[in-house]
Amino acid sequence: MKKNFGNLQDEKSFRSFALAMETKERILVAAHELFFKFGIKSVTMDDIARHLGMSKKTIYQFFRDKDEIVHDLTENTLKQHVEKFCQINSSSKNAIEEILLTMEHMGFMFSQMNPNVFYDMQKYFPKSWLRFRDFKESHLMQMVESNFKRGVEEGMFRPDINAKVLARLRIEEVEMAMNPAVYPSSEYDVTQVQVALLDHFLFGIVTIKGHRLINKYKQIEDNE
């Protein structure tokens, strides 16, 4: 009986590849946990190795250095956010629900994140920061402008708003809230800052119809 050694070799290669991908994913997950808790700069490759219970040599089989880990994490995180934002857009009933659900998702993310993450990325990991800036300039701007257009069509947002100008303002507000030089984590909770800025922003662009809907979502009784 003729044995199919080719298929056996393919199976071994696949298992080896799957194991390697699993190990690489474990490294990224561990790095993500440490970076979000302590900031990027303060976490070393030794810290990641200890957290995983594996040798630093094993980590270097998959990543040249911490820069590459940060870059891969940035790519993965942005991809996940794009998928989540698209899901929110397709499932939300109106423009206001969409922006509130988006902030709820971002609030969950901020609650687990050390505020120094973005500062560290900007100062010490320029390649990853540039990727984040590209994402902000392309996808986020487009997403916010699309939300404004939807809100105007639904009668939720004022028709005279300048979507491009205000989309820039909204995005910069999100980033400003995470800047420890503006809102030090010792004095401010980043999630509360984000909610306060969003409330201030929304009430400046909504119509009376939109205002009432916001109050409904927030379970605030209208006293007009």
Side-chain angles (χ1 to χ4, degrees):
M1 182 171 121
K2 186 176 180 181
K3 296 181 179 178
N4 193 336
F5 290 106
N7 289 343
L8 181 60
Q9 186 63 38
D10 289 345
E11 184 178 342
K12 286 181 178 179
S13 296
F14 176 77
R15 286 180 179 176
S16 177
F17 174 77
L19 182 60
M21 290 300 98
E22 180 183 337
T23 303
K24 185 173 184 178
E25 182 62 24
R26 283 182 58 212
I27 295 170
L28 288 174
V29 169
H32 182 275
E33 291 173 354
L34 293 175
F35 292 160
F36 269 42
K37 188 173 183 180
F38 301 109
I40 303 174
K41 184 177 183 294
S42 63
V43 175
T44 66
M45 296 292 269
D46 285 315
D47 292 329
I48 298 172
R50 275 194 299 271
H51 189 66
L52 284 163
M54 70 171 54
S55 70
K56 195 161 60 170
K57 182 179 179 181
T58 301
I59 296 178
Y60 282 122
Q61 290 177 2
F62 297 93
F63 300 97
R64 291 189 304 273
D65 48 31
K66 192 166 79 169
D67 285 56
E68 188 172 7
I69 293 179
V70 173
H71 182 70
D72 279 15
L73 271 178
T74 301
E75 290 289 348
N76 290 352
T77 302
L78 294 181
K79 181 180 178 182
Q80 290 169 10
H81 286 320
V82 168
E83 292 172 353
K84 183 63 178 179
F85 292 148
C86 289
Q87 177 191 336
I88 290 172
N89 174 264
S90 61
S91 63
S92 57
K93 299 181 183 69
N94 53 68
I96 288 177
E97 183 179 59
E98 179 183 358
I99 200 168
L100 291 176
L101 288 175
T102 299
M103 283 309 302
E104 182 180 324
H105 168 66
M106 294 178 73
F108 173 75
M109 178 184 71
F110 296 143
S111 67
Q112 304 176 69
M113 182 190 300
N114 186 307
N116 289 326
V117 164
F118 283 90
Y119 175 79
D120 289 349
M121 187 186 296
Q122 183 176 3
K123 189 170 183 180
Y124 303 106
F125 302 91
K127 182 181 177 182
S128 296
W129 179 251
L130 181 61
R131 178 66 186 92
F132 173 74
R133 298 291 295 188
D134 287 343
F135 169 77
K136 189 177 91 167
E137 295 298 322
S138 56
H139 184 82
L140 285 186
M141 281 289 290
Q142 183 180 6
M143 181 186 74
V144 176
E145 287 186 43
S146 176
N147 175 262
F148 289 167
K149 181 179 179 181
R150 178 183 181 182
V152 169
E153 291 173 350
E154 294 171 344
M156 301 294 177
F157 298 157
R158 290 170 20 218
D160 61 332
I161 62 174
N162 187 319
K164 189 170 290 293
V165 171
L166 292 179
R168 171 74 60 190
L169 173 61
R170 177 82 280 267
I171 290 171
E172 293 302 325
E173 281 184 343
V174 171
E175 191 172 320
M176 180 178 66
M178 296 182 291
N179 186 339
V182 180
Y183 294 104
S185 58
S186 58
E187 299 178 41
Y188 300 92
D189 178 272
V190 65
T191 302
Q192 292 179 0
V193 172
Q194 292 286 1
V195 170
L197 292 177
L198 176 62
D199 277 353
H200 183 271
F201 180 86
L202 271 182
F203 284 121
I205 66 171
V206 293
T207 60
I208 294 176
K209 178 182 177 182
H211 194 142
R212 287 173 175 161
L213 185 59
I214 292 174
N215 286 347
K216 181 179 178 181
Y217 281 125
K218 290 178 172 290
Q219 298 183 330
I220 299 172
E221 185 176 346
D222 282 312
N223 294 312
E224 295 186 73

